[in-house]
Amino acid sequence: MEINVVQKVMKVNDDLAQGVRERLTAARIACLNFMSAPGSGKTTLIEVALRALDGKPAIGVIEGDPDTTLDAERIAACGAPVVQVNTAGGCHLEANLVSHALDRFDLDRLDILIIENVGNLVCPVDFDLGENRRVAVVSTTEGHDKPAKYPKLFRTADLVVLNKIDLLPHVDFDAVFFRDTVQKLKPGVEILEVSCRNGEGVDAWASWIRGAAAAGDKG
Amino acid sequence: MEINVVQKVMKVNDDLAQGVRERLTAARIACLNFMSAPGSGKTTLIEVALRALDGKPAIGVIEGDPDTTLDAERIAACGAPVVQVNTAGGCHLEANLVSHALDRFDLDRLDILIIENVGNLVCPVDFDLGENRRVAVVSTTEGHDKPAKYPKLFRTADLVVLNKIDLLPHVDFDAVFFRDTVQKLKPGVEILEVSCRNGEGVDAWASWIRGAAAAGDKG
């Protein structure tokens, strides 16, 4: 009985996600779902990409947080269209929230929609939001064991960003253990090393985002 | 209908948590529930406290993780009794899991039980585990905005640990914003600043743990 209720919720989400996907595909917009622990630097990664790409491709952002509009304010300061979704304490985004947020964008003017999920390595993974690709972010300060301890996200990731590599000299991070674990969970997945603070890897990161626009194929 | 199902789950958890609390109280054991984002340093904080206190008070540890026994191995290496609880991908601990884990300890030999919850700033907060006190951990690298964006944990915290303060020179962390937000959410709550790497604040942290044993009052 309780299992039926849960299944029903997931079916409703999957149907809504499919609707989001069809709407974005029709508008030739690629959709990226960013997931990570709180504080791994998702918002900063979006900021540096927006500045590096300077409107080409045109990026819109949905910011998911339990509370505040702090992240949306940072994205708006970069000149990108943004919608803040507050989950009122909820632990993940669902397709229903994304579907409503889509109404606030001028889809004709977008090439890419980036969805920054709630900071959480567990719950967001189960919810399809209509994305084309999933980006998992880990910062060096969180430790090399995070993919091993929270494997589900990494099994479904299309790209893994190892962020805050400028802090590597100051933390105990076993890069070999990290890479080996990620490759076991998702063989062949690309791992990008980035520091938003000193700019290392930012060009490759911006290029990856630019490449993702091809999935939307607005031309 | 769906709301009733959720309420029933919470009622079952609360009843089991009360059972855990009564069992620990009868055994004169204080119980601490550690919550934070993944990678904020909960396990390391337990390791340094175990080493500083050296068995007085006697501490047992329950390690909660979606997967692996990595954390339990670290605690066992410090000589403390430990039980690893794997949630099989689940996002938080529940009293049911703690109740079963309790059977694995010799309660006559413990003064404090530390429960390290799954790394997650949202879901664990709603689940009473039978603890006497809640400890919220934030690391400086996660950013000063985390209490504002994830307020629920901080409203219920009996202690806030700001960890990894050795990294402050290398990150943009507004300590005033952080402290103001925490105090608004839980007026008067104590904030301990700690670096497990250079030892700063570790004495105060170990003293706080020692003081918590008084709640168990084994004498």
PDB file of all heavy atoms in Angstrom, chain B residues 11-49:
ATOM      1  N   LYS B  11       5.134   8.861  13.282  1.00  0.00           N
ATOM      2  CA  LYS B  11       4.686   8.412  14.614  1.00  0.00           C
ATOM      3  C   LYS B  11       5.443   7.141  15.007  1.00  0.00           C
ATOM      4  O   LYS B  11       5.895   7.018  16.158  1.00  0.00           O
ATOM      5  CB  LYS B  11       3.169   8.167  14.581  1.00  0.00           C
ATOM      6  CG  LYS B  11       2.572   7.609  15.864  1.00  0.00           C
ATOM      7  CD  LYS B  11       2.504   8.660  16.952  1.00  0.00           C
ATOM      8  CE  LYS B  11       1.655   8.208  18.136  1.00  0.00           C
ATOM      9  NZ  LYS B  11       2.179   7.044  18.843  1.00  0.00           N
ATOM     10  N   VAL B  12       5.598   6.228  14.073  1.00  0.00           N
ATOM     11  CA  VAL B  12       6.349   4.995  14.351  1.00  0.00           C
ATOM     12  C   VAL B  12       7.779   5.346  14.743  1.00  0.00           C
ATOM     13  O   VAL B  12       8.335   4.807  15.700  1.00  0.00           O
ATOM     14  CB  VAL B  12       6.334   4.052  13.114  1.00  0.00           C
ATOM     15  CG1 VAL B  12       7.348   2.924  13.285  1.00  0.00           C
ATOM     16  CG2 VAL B  12       4.942   3.486  12.896  1.00  0.00           C
ATOM     17  N   ASN B  13       8.399   6.286  13.985  1.00  0.00           N
ATOM     18  CA  ASN B  13       9.776   6.689  14.303  1.00  0.00           C
ATOM     19  C   ASN B  13       9.861   7.317  15.691  1.00  0.00           C
ATOM     20  O   ASN B  13      10.774   7.005  16.464  1.00  0.00           O
ATOM     21  CB  ASN B  13      10.300   7.662  13.256  1.00  0.00           C
ATOM     22  CG  ASN B  13      11.754   8.022  13.506  1.00  0.00           C
ATOM     23  OD1 ASN B  13      12.662   7.245  13.237  1.00  0.00           O
ATOM     24  ND2 ASN B  13      11.984   9.199  14.098  1.00  0.00           N
ATOM     25  N   ASP B  14       8.907   8.212  15.996  1.00  0.00           N
ATOM     26  CA  ASP B  14       8.951   8.896  17.294  1.00  0.00           C
ATOM     27  C   ASP B  14       8.816   7.904  18.447  1.00  0.00           C
ATOM     28  O   ASP B  14       9.483   8.042  19.480  1.00  0.00           O
ATOM     29  CB  ASP B  14       7.850   9.958  17.366  1.00  0.00           C
ATOM     30  CG  ASP B  14       8.175  11.165  16.491  1.00  0.00           C
ATOM     31  OD1 ASP B  14       9.317  11.263  16.012  1.00  0.00           O
ATOM     32  OD2 ASP B  14       7.278  11.997  16.274  1.00  0.00           O
ATOM     33  N   ASP B  15       7.956   6.907  18.270  1.00  0.00           N
ATOM     34  CA  ASP B  15       7.790   5.901  19.327  1.00  0.00           C
ATOM     35  C   ASP B  15       9.073   5.095  19.516  1.00  0.00           C
ATOM     36  O   ASP B  15       9.499   4.828  20.649  1.00  0.00           O
ATOM     37  CB  ASP B  15       6.625   4.955  18.983  1.00  0.00           C
ATOM     38  CG  ASP B  15       5.278   5.657  19.086  1.00  0.00           C
ATOM     39  OD1 ASP B  15       5.231   6.782  19.646  1.00  0.00           O
ATOM     40  OD2 ASP B  15       4.285   5.098  18.598  1.00  0.00           O
ATOM     41  N   LEU B  16       9.704   4.703  18.405  1.00  0.00           N
ATOM     42  CA  LEU B  16      10.959   3.943  18.493  1.00  0.00           C
ATOM     43  C   LEU B  16      12.069   4.798  19.097  1.00  0.00           C
ATOM     44  O   LEU B  16      12.884   4.306  19.877  1.00  0.00           O
ATOM     45  CB  LEU B  16      11.369   3.446  17.099  1.00  0.00           C
ATOM     46  CG  LEU B  16      10.547   2.278  16.558  1.00  0.00           C
ATOM     47  CD1 LEU B  16      10.777   2.105  15.059  1.00  0.00           C
ATOM     48  CD2 LEU B  16      10.918   0.982  17.290  1.00  0.00           C
ATOM     49  N   ALA B  17      12.101   6.096  18.748  1.00  0.00           N
ATOM     50  CA  ALA B  17      13.109   7.002  19.296  1.00  0.00           C
ATOM     51  C   ALA B  17      12.934   7.134  20.809  1.00  0.00           C
ATOM     52  O   ALA B  17      13.917   7.171  21.558  1.00  0.00           O
ATOM     53  CB  ALA B  17      13.012   8.369  18.627  1.00  0.00           C
ATOM     54  N   GLN B  18      11.702   7.170  21.243  1.00  0.00           N
ATOM     55  CA  GLN B  18      11.441   7.270  22.685  1.00  0.00           C
ATOM     56  C   GLN B  18      11.946   6.001  23.388  1.00  0.00           C
ATOM     57  O   GLN B  18      12.511   6.080  24.489  1.00  0.00           O
ATOM     58  CB  GLN B  18       9.942   7.489  22.936  1.00  0.00           C
ATOM     59  CG  GLN B  18       9.597   7.889  24.360  1.00  0.00           C
ATOM     60  CD  GLN B  18      10.414   9.068  24.884  1.00  0.00           C
ATOM     61  OE1 GLN B  18      10.818   9.952  24.127  1.00  0.00           O
ATOM     62  NE2 GLN B  18      10.709   9.071  26.175  1.00  0.00           N
ATOM     63  N   GLY B  19      11.788   4.869  22.728  1.00  0.00           N
ATOM     64  CA  GLY B  19      12.309   3.613  23.273  1.00  0.00           C
ATOM     65  C   GLY B  19      13.821   3.633  23.399  1.00  0.00           C
ATOM     66  O   GLY B  19      14.394   3.198  24.409  1.00  0.00           O
ATOM     67  N   VAL B  20      14.491   4.146  22.362  1.00  0.00           N
ATOM     68  CA  VAL B  20      15.959   4.289  22.404  1.00  0.00           C
ATOM     69  C   VAL B  20      16.364   5.204  23.553  1.00  0.00           C
ATOM     70  O   VAL B  20      17.276   4.896  24.338  1.00  0.00           O
ATOM     71  CB  VAL B  20      16.490   4.855  21.062  1.00  0.00           C
ATOM     72  CG1 VAL B  20      17.949   5.273  21.183  1.00  0.00           C
ATOM     73  CG2 VAL B  20      16.312   3.838  19.935  1.00  0.00           C
ATOM     74  N   ARG B  21      15.649   6.315  23.673  1.00  0.00           N
ATOM     75  CA  ARG B  21      15.977   7.313  24.717  1.00  0.00           C
ATOM     76  C   ARG B  21      15.842   6.695  26.111  1.00  0.00           C
ATOM     77  O   ARG B  21      16.709   6.889  26.982  1.00  0.00           O
ATOM     78  CB  ARG B  21      15.070   8.533  24.547  1.00  0.00           C
ATOM     79  CG  ARG B  21      15.447   9.723  25.415  1.00  0.00           C
ATOM     80  CD  ARG B  21      14.645  10.970  25.047  1.00  0.00           C
ATOM     81  NE  ARG B  21      15.151  11.599  23.845  1.00  0.00           N
ATOM     82  CZ  ARG B  21      14.527  11.654  22.669  1.00  0.00           C
ATOM     83  NH1 ARG B  21      13.323  11.129  22.541  1.00  0.00           N
ATOM     84  NH2 ARG B  21      15.081  12.243  21.643  1.00  0.00           N
ATOM     85  N   GLU B  22      14.776   5.944  26.313  1.00  0.00           N
ATOM     86  CA  GLU B  22      14.547   5.342  27.637  1.00  0.00           C
ATOM     87  C   GLU B  22      15.618   4.289  27.949  1.00  0.00           C
ATOM     88  O   GLU B  22      16.102   4.188  29.080  1.00  0.00           O
ATOM     89  CB  GLU B  22      13.146   4.730  27.700  1.00  0.00           C
ATOM     90  CG  GLU B  22      12.068   5.809  27.780  1.00  0.00           C
ATOM     91  CD  GLU B  22      10.649   5.287  27.558  1.00  0.00           C
ATOM     92  OE1 GLU B  22      10.480   4.037  27.486  1.00  0.00           O
ATOM     93  OE2 GLU B  22       9.723   6.106  27.449  1.00  0.00           O
ATOM     94  N   ARG B  23      15.988   3.531  26.911  1.00  0.00           N
ATOM     95  CA  ARG B  23      17.001   2.496  27.105  1.00  0.00           C
ATOM     96  C   ARG B  23      18.353   3.128  27.459  1.00  0.00           C
ATOM     97  O   ARG B  23      19.064   2.654  28.346  1.00  0.00           O
ATOM     98  CB  ARG B  23      17.113   1.724  25.790  1.00  0.00           C
ATOM     99  CG  ARG B  23      17.618   0.329  25.910  1.00  0.00           C
ATOM    100  CD  ARG B  23      17.331  -0.400  24.615  1.00  0.00           C
ATOM    101  NE  ARG B  23      18.348  -1.382  24.333  1.00  0.00           N
ATOM    102  CZ  ARG B  23      18.529  -1.954  23.144  1.00  0.00           C
ATOM    103  NH1 ARG B  23      17.749  -1.611  22.127  1.00  0.00           N
ATOM    104  NH2 ARG B  23      19.470  -2.845  22.971  1.00  0.00           N
ATOM    105  N   LEU B  24      18.714   4.213  26.756  1.00  0.00           N
ATOM    106  CA  LEU B  24      19.989   4.881  27.016  1.00  0.00           C
ATOM    107  C   LEU B  24      19.965   5.591  28.365  1.00  0.00           C
ATOM    108  O   LEU B  24      20.964   5.587  29.099  1.00  0.00           O
ATOM    109  CB  LEU B  24      20.307   5.873  25.892  1.00  0.00           C
ATOM    110  CG  LEU B  24      20.640   5.238  24.534  1.00  0.00           C
ATOM    111  CD1 LEU B  24      20.740   6.307  23.447  1.00  0.00           C
ATOM    112  CD2 LEU B  24      21.949   4.439  24.609  1.00  0.00           C
ATOM    113  N   THR B  25      18.831   6.189  28.708  1.00  0.00           N
ATOM    114  CA  THR B  25      18.719   6.871  30.002  1.00  0.00           C
ATOM    115  C   THR B  25      18.887   5.867  31.134  1.00  0.00           C
ATOM    116  O   THR B  25      19.594   6.126  32.124  1.00  0.00           O
ATOM    117  CB  THR B  25      17.356   7.578  30.111  1.00  0.00           C
ATOM    118  OG1 THR B  25      17.226   8.500  29.028  1.00  0.00           O
ATOM    119  CG2 THR B  25      17.228   8.338  31.426  1.00  0.00           C
ATOM    120  N   ALA B  26      18.254   4.706  30.985  1.00  0.00           N
ATOM    121  CA  ALA B  26      18.366   3.662  32.017  1.00  0.00           C
ATOM    122  C   ALA B  26      19.812   3.212  32.176  1.00  0.00           C
ATOM    123  O   ALA B  26      20.262   2.877  33.278  1.00  0.00           O
ATOM    124  CB  ALA B  26      17.480   2.480  31.646  1.00  0.00           C
ATOM    125  N   ALA B  27      20.560   3.217  31.044  1.00  0.00           N
ATOM    126  CA  ALA B  27      21.973   2.807  31.084  1.00  0.00           C
ATOM    127  C   ALA B  27      22.901   3.993  31.373  1.00  0.00           C
ATOM    128  O   ALA B  27      24.125   3.838  31.362  1.00  0.00           O
ATOM    129  CB  ALA B  27      22.366   2.160  29.760  1.00  0.00           C
ATOM    130  N   ARG B  28      22.305   5.168  31.635  1.00  0.00           N
ATOM    131  CA  ARG B  28      23.080   6.395  31.919  1.00  0.00           C
ATOM    132  C   ARG B  28      24.066   6.728  30.813  1.00  0.00           C
ATOM    133  O   ARG B  28      25.256   6.993  31.048  1.00  0.00           O
ATOM    134  CB  ARG B  28      23.803   6.270  33.260  1.00  0.00           C
ATOM    135  CG  ARG B  28      22.815   6.187  34.414  1.00  0.00           C
ATOM    136  CD  ARG B  28      23.529   6.154  35.734  1.00  0.00           C
ATOM    137  NE  ARG B  28      22.590   6.276  36.850  1.00  0.00           N
ATOM    138  CZ  ARG B  28      22.949   6.315  38.113  1.00  0.00           C
ATOM    139  NH1 ARG B  28      24.216   6.259  38.440  1.00  0.00           N
ATOM    140  NH2 ARG B  28      22.049   6.418  39.055  1.00  0.00           N
ATOM    141  N   ILE B  29      23.555   6.694  29.595  1.00  0.00           N
ATOM    142  CA  ILE B  29      24.377   7.021  28.421  1.00  0.00           C
ATOM    143  C   ILE B  29      23.793   8.257  27.741  1.00  0.00           C
ATOM    144  O   ILE B  29      22.603   8.290  27.437  1.00  0.00           O
ATOM    145  CB  ILE B  29      24.404   5.839  27.425  1.00  0.00           C
ATOM    146  CG1 ILE B  29      25.068   4.617  28.069  1.00  0.00           C
ATOM    147  CG2 ILE B  29      25.122   6.225  26.130  1.00  0.00           C
ATOM    148  CD1 ILE B  29      24.923   3.350  27.255  1.00  0.00           C
ATOM    149  N   ALA B  30      24.629   9.270  27.541  1.00  0.00           N
ATOM    150  CA  ALA B  30      24.211  10.451  26.782  1.00  0.00           C
ATOM    151  C   ALA B  30      24.311  10.137  25.293  1.00  0.00           C
ATOM    152  O   ALA B  30      25.211   9.417  24.866  1.00  0.00           O
ATOM    153  CB  ALA B  30      25.101  11.641  27.118  1.00  0.00           C
ATOM    154  N   CYS B  31      23.394  10.684  24.511  1.00  0.00           N
ATOM    155  CA  CYS B  31      23.365  10.374  23.076  1.00  0.00           C
ATOM    156  C   CYS B  31      23.410  11.654  22.252  1.00  0.00           C
ATOM    157  O   CYS B  31      22.621  12.583  22.462  1.00  0.00           O
ATOM    158  CB  CYS B  31      22.101   9.565  22.763  1.00  0.00           C
ATOM    159  SG  CYS B  31      21.968   9.099  21.027  1.00  0.00           S
ATOM    160  N   LEU B  32      24.374  11.717  21.325  1.00  0.00           N
ATOM    161  CA  LEU B  32      24.574  12.899  20.472  1.00  0.00           C
ATOM    162  C   LEU B  32      24.316  12.516  19.018  1.00  0.00           C
ATOM    163  O   LEU B  32      24.821  11.505  18.542  1.00  0.00           O
ATOM    164  CB  LEU B  32      26.013  13.401  20.607  1.00  0.00           C
ATOM    165  CG  LEU B  32      26.525  13.622  22.034  1.00  0.00           C
ATOM    166  CD1 LEU B  32      28.006  14.025  22.001  1.00  0.00           C
ATOM    167  CD2 LEU B  32      25.699  14.687  22.745  1.00  0.00           C
ATOM    168  N   ASN B  33      23.562  13.338  18.315  1.00  0.00           N
ATOM    169  CA  ASN B  33      23.242  13.110  16.900  1.00  0.00           C
ATOM    170  C   ASN B  33      23.982  14.152  16.072  1.00  0.00           C
ATOM    171  O   ASN B  33      23.695  15.344  16.158  1.00  0.00           O
ATOM    172  CB  ASN B  33      21.718  13.225  16.726  1.00  0.00           C
ATOM    173  CG  ASN B  33      21.237  12.916  15.315  1.00  0.00           C
ATOM    174  OD1 ASN B  33      22.036  12.675  14.415  1.00  0.00           O
ATOM    175  ND2 ASN B  33      19.920  12.949  15.126  1.00  0.00           N
ATOM    176  N   PHE B  34      24.983  13.718  15.302  1.00  0.00           N
ATOM    177  CA  PHE B  34      25.805  14.632  14.492  1.00  0.00           C
ATOM    178  C   PHE B  34      25.216  14.728  13.083  1.00  0.00           C
ATOM    179  O   PHE B  34      25.096  13.717  12.385  1.00  0.00           O
ATOM    180  CB  PHE B  34      27.233  14.113  14.356  1.00  0.00           C
ATOM    181  CG  PHE B  34      28.087  14.269  15.579  1.00  0.00           C
ATOM    182  CD1 PHE B  34      27.532  14.505  16.828  1.00  0.00           C
ATOM    183  CD2 PHE B  34      29.474  14.187  15.490  1.00  0.00           C
ATOM    184  CE1 PHE B  34      28.330  14.643  17.958  1.00  0.00           C
ATOM    185  CE2 PHE B  34      30.280  14.325  16.615  1.00  0.00           C
ATOM    186  CZ  PHE B  34      29.712  14.545  17.843  1.00  0.00           C
ATOM    187  N   MET B  35      24.922  15.946  12.638  1.00  0.00           N
ATOM    188  CA  MET B  35      24.361  16.141  11.299  1.00  0.00           C
ATOM    189  C   MET B  35      25.126  17.219  10.547  1.00  0.00           C
ATOM    190  O   MET B  35      25.539  18.216  11.130  1.00  0.00           O
ATOM    191  CB  MET B  35      22.886  16.507  11.399  1.00  0.00           C
ATOM    192  CG  MET B  35      22.029  15.328  11.861  1.00  0.00           C
ATOM    193  SD  MET B  35      20.268  15.745  12.009  1.00  0.00           S
ATOM    194  CE  MET B  35      20.257  16.379  13.672  1.00  0.00           C
ATOM    195  N   SER B  36      25.269  17.020   9.225  1.00  0.00           N
ATOM    196  CA  SER B  36      25.966  17.998   8.384  1.00  0.00           C
ATOM    197  C   SER B  36      25.824  17.595   6.929  1.00  0.00           C
ATOM    198  O   SER B  36      25.296  16.532   6.619  1.00  0.00           O
ATOM    199  CB  SER B  36      27.461  18.045   8.732  1.00  0.00           C
ATOM    200  OG  SER B  36      28.128  16.941   8.135  1.00  0.00           O
ATOM    201  N   ALA B  37      26.350  18.430   6.042  1.00  0.00           N
ATOM    202  CA  ALA B  37      26.494  18.070   4.634  1.00  0.00           C
ATOM    203  C   ALA B  37      27.562  16.980   4.505  1.00  0.00           C
ATOM    204  O   ALA B  37      28.389  16.812   5.408  1.00  0.00           O
ATOM    205  CB  ALA B  37      26.905  19.300   3.819  1.00  0.00           C
ATOM    206  N   PRO B  38      27.572  16.250   3.389  1.00  0.00           N
ATOM    207  CA  PRO B  38      28.652  15.276   3.188  1.00  0.00           C
ATOM    208  C   PRO B  38      30.011  15.985   3.145  1.00  0.00           C
ATOM    209  O   PRO B  38      30.134  17.055   2.553  1.00  0.00           O
ATOM    210  CB  PRO B  38      28.332  14.682   1.799  1.00  0.00           C
ATOM    211  CG  PRO B  38      26.886  14.963   1.561  1.00  0.00           C
ATOM    212  CD  PRO B  38      26.610  16.259   2.265  1.00  0.00           C
ATOM    213  N   GLY B  39      30.994  15.405   3.810  1.00  0.00           N
ATOM    214  CA  GLY B  39      32.349  15.931   3.700  1.00  0.00           C
ATOM    215  C   GLY B  39      32.668  17.126   4.566  1.00  0.00           C
ATOM    216  O   GLY B  39      33.681  17.790   4.360  1.00  0.00           O
ATOM    217  N   SER B  40      31.828  17.424   5.561  1.00  0.00           N
ATOM    218  CA  SER B  40      32.117  18.567   6.428  1.00  0.00           C
ATOM    219  C   SER B  40      33.101  18.193   7.533  1.00  0.00           C
ATOM    220  O   SER B  40      33.604  19.078   8.232  1.00  0.00           O
ATOM    221  CB  SER B  40      30.831  19.101   7.039  1.00  0.00           C
ATOM    222  OG  SER B  40      30.318  18.132   7.917  1.00  0.00           O
ATOM    223  N   GLY B  41      33.336  16.877   7.702  1.00  0.00           N
ATOM    224  CA  GLY B  41      34.350  16.455   8.671  1.00  0.00           C
ATOM    225  C   GLY B  41      33.805  15.827   9.947  1.00  0.00           C
ATOM    226  O   GLY B  41      34.513  15.802  10.960  1.00  0.00           O
ATOM    227  N   LYS B  42      32.595  15.295   9.918  1.00  0.00           N
ATOM    228  CA  LYS B  42      32.020  14.669  11.118  1.00  0.00           C
ATOM    229  C   LYS B  42      32.901  13.533  11.639  1.00  0.00           C
ATOM    230  O   LYS B  42      33.187  13.465  12.830  1.00  0.00           O
ATOM    231  CB  LYS B  42      30.615  14.091  10.810  1.00  0.00           C
ATOM    232  CG  LYS B  42      29.563  15.119  10.471  1.00  0.00           C
ATOM    233  CD  LYS B  42      28.180  14.498  10.327  1.00  0.00           C
ATOM    234  CE  LYS B  42      28.031  13.545   9.151  1.00  0.00           C
ATOM    235  NZ  LYS B  42      28.354  14.111   7.825  1.00  0.00           N
ATOM    236  N   THR B  43      33.324  12.647  10.755  1.00  0.00           N
ATOM    237  CA  THR B  43      34.107  11.486  11.202  1.00  0.00           C
ATOM    238  C   THR B  43      35.434  11.929  11.789  1.00  0.00           C
ATOM    239  O   THR B  43      35.872  11.409  12.824  1.00  0.00           O
ATOM    240  CB  THR B  43      34.355  10.511  10.025  1.00  0.00           C
ATOM    241  OG1 THR B  43      33.125  10.305   9.324  1.00  0.00           O
ATOM    242  CG2 THR B  43      34.868   9.180  10.523  1.00  0.00           C
ATOM    243  N   THR B  44      36.072  12.902  11.152  1.00  0.00           N
ATOM    244  CA  THR B  44      37.351  13.401  11.670  1.00  0.00           C
ATOM    245  C   THR B  44      37.167  14.065  13.031  1.00  0.00           C
ATOM    246  O   THR B  44      38.007  13.917  13.931  1.00  0.00           O
ATOM    247  CB  THR B  44      37.988  14.385  10.666  1.00  0.00           C
ATOM    248  OG1 THR B  44      38.032  13.760   9.378  1.00  0.00           O
ATOM    249  CG2 THR B  44      39.401  14.759  11.080  1.00  0.00           C
ATOM    250  N   LEU B  45      36.056  14.793  13.214  1.00  0.00           N
ATOM    251  CA  LEU B  45      35.781  15.400  14.525  1.00  0.00           C
ATOM    252  C   LEU B  45      35.631  14.323  15.600  1.00  0.00           C
ATOM    253  O   LEU B  45      36.051  14.510  16.746  1.00  0.00           O
ATOM    254  CB  LEU B  45      34.509  16.259  14.452  1.00  0.00           C
ATOM    255  CG  LEU B  45      34.683  17.637  13.797  1.00  0.00           C
ATOM    256  CD1 LEU B  45      33.338  18.231  13.388  1.00  0.00           C
ATOM    257  CD2 LEU B  45      35.415  18.584  14.756  1.00  0.00           C
ATOM    258  N   ILE B  46      35.023  13.202  15.241  1.00  0.00           N
ATOM    259  CA  ILE B  46      34.885  12.098  16.207  1.00  0.00           C
ATOM    260  C   ILE B  46      36.257  11.487  16.486  1.00  0.00           C
ATOM    261  O   ILE B  46      36.614  11.222  17.636  1.00  0.00           O
ATOM    262  CB  ILE B  46      33.900  11.031  15.678  1.00  0.00           C
ATOM    263  CG1 ILE B  46      32.506  11.642  15.499  1.00  0.00           C
ATOM    264  CG2 ILE B  46      33.839   9.832  16.632  1.00  0.00           C
ATOM    265  CD1 ILE B  46      31.507  10.724  14.804  1.00  0.00           C
ATOM    266  N   GLU B  47      37.060  11.306  15.436  1.00  0.00           N
ATOM    267  CA  GLU B  47      38.404  10.737  15.628  1.00  0.00           C
ATOM    268  C   GLU B  47      39.245  11.594  16.586  1.00  0.00           C
ATOM    269  O   GLU B  47      39.856  11.057  17.520  1.00  0.00           O
ATOM    270  CB  GLU B  47      39.136  10.635  14.275  1.00  0.00           C
ATOM    271  CG  GLU B  47      38.608   9.563  13.351  1.00  0.00           C
ATOM    272  CD  GLU B  47      39.322   9.563  12.002  1.00  0.00           C
ATOM    273  OE1 GLU B  47      39.398  10.634  11.357  1.00  0.00           O
ATOM    274  OE2 GLU B  47      39.809   8.504  11.584  1.00  0.00           O
ATOM    275  N   VAL B  48      39.263  12.914  16.367  1.00  0.00           N
ATOM    276  CA  VAL B  48      40.125  13.757  17.223  1.00  0.00           C
ATOM    277  C   VAL B  48      39.597  13.790  18.652  1.00  0.00           C
ATOM    278  O   VAL B  48      40.383  13.854  19.612  1.00  0.00           O
ATOM    279  CB  VAL B  48      40.311  15.194  16.666  1.00  0.00           C
ATOM    280  CG1 VAL B  48      40.973  15.158  15.286  1.00  0.00           C
ATOM    281  CG2 VAL B  48      39.004  15.979  16.636  1.00  0.00           C
ATOM    282  N   ALA B  49      38.269  13.719  18.824  1.00  0.00           N
ATOM    283  CA  ALA B  49      37.713  13.696  20.185  1.00  0.00           C
ATOM    284  C   ALA B  49      38.072  12.387  20.883  1.00  0.00           C
ATOM    285  O   ALA B  49      38.452  12.392  22.066  1.00  0.00           O
ATOM    286  CB  ALA B  49      36.189  13.879  20.131  1.00  0.00           C
TER     287      ALA B  49
END
